[in-house]
Each structure stands twice: as structure tokens, then as C-alpha cells.
Amino acid sequence: MDSFLPSVNSQALGIKENDGIEAFVHQMLFGNSVPITSIKGMTGHFLGATGAIQAIASLISLEHNFIPATIKSNPEHYLDLPIVTELKYYDVNKVAITSHGYGGNNSCLLFSKI
């Protein structure tokens, strides 16, 4: 395993405008230093429960020290982001979750081991 590593579990709505904004913010805050993943390709969209599903997946990621792969997406549109496309085992110490709801509800949650 590599040293401690934070990660971002992104909402990644699959909507060009929203994903572009999320990519811009991630790049401005973290550059290429924080891996980004989205579980939505594996789970589908749970609408109002998406944030809760992301939270559960993130807690599992922290407990078992891995970053899940982003599947069923085209990371070629975001070459400047460190999108995780294969399961990676790291000593994950923090996971930030971005979640967006209908009507403009947005939230971010940070889980940390430390």
C-alpha cells in the first residue's frame, strides 16, 4: 500500500454542464494530487438516496483501504483529472463526497480516519 491518501467520491451526474463544473472545481482545489472516483456507474442513480449510498461506499472504502474504480464513463473528456479507472488499494485516510440534488441542493461531506 502507498502512504495515506485522500480521495473524492464524486456525484458525476453524467450531464456535460454539471460534470464540467465539478471537474473545474476539483482541478482548482486539488489539481492532480487527489484521486477522484464515482460509484454511480456501478450503482445507477438513486435520486434522493445517492448521497447516502455514496456515504456508505466511502465508509467501506476507508475501512478496507481502497478507492473504487469509475466505470461506464469516458475519462478521456477529463484528462486533466486523476480519475480512478481501476480498483486501487491505498491506505485511504479521508474521503470527500460531492452530492447534488434537484432544485440546486448541493452538499459535500468529509469522512476522515484521523
Side-chain angles (χ1 to χ4, degrees):
M1 274 189 235
D2 292 312
S3 60
F4 281 116
L5 185 71
S7 69
V8 172
N9 188 316
S10 172
Q11 172 85 13
L13 289 170
I15 300 170
K16 187 176 181 178
E17 293 169 359
N18 292 42
D19 289 353
I21 292 168
E22 195 168 12
F24 173 78
V25 171
H26 186 91
Q27 188 65 33
M28 293 299 297
L29 291 174
F30 307 117
N32 288 323
S33 65
V34 176
I36 186 169
T37 187
S38 176
I39 62 166
K40 199 169 105 192
M42 288 184 241
T43 64
H45 199 315
F46 284 99
L47 303 174
T50 297
I53 299 298
Q54 285 179 278
I56 292 166
S58 296
L59 289 170
I60 293 169
S61 172
L62 281 169
E63 182 178 356
H64 296 285
N65 291 308
F66 70 91
I67 300 172
T70 302
I71 66 170
K72 298 181 185 175
S73 68
N74 187 355
E76 294 168 2
H77 293 123
Y78 303 101
L79 293 175
D80 54 340
L81 290 178
I83 297 173
V84 176
T85 57
E86 296 179 3
L87 176 67
K88 296 199 180 269
Y89 286 94
Y90 288 98
D91 202 1
V92 179
N93 65 340
K94 294 180 185 125
V95 178
I97 301 165
T98 60
S99 189
H100 318 287
Y102 295 112
N105 297 313
N106 300 296
S107 64
C108 185
L109 180 64
L110 178 67
F111 288 120
S112 177
K113 286 183 182 178
I114 301 170

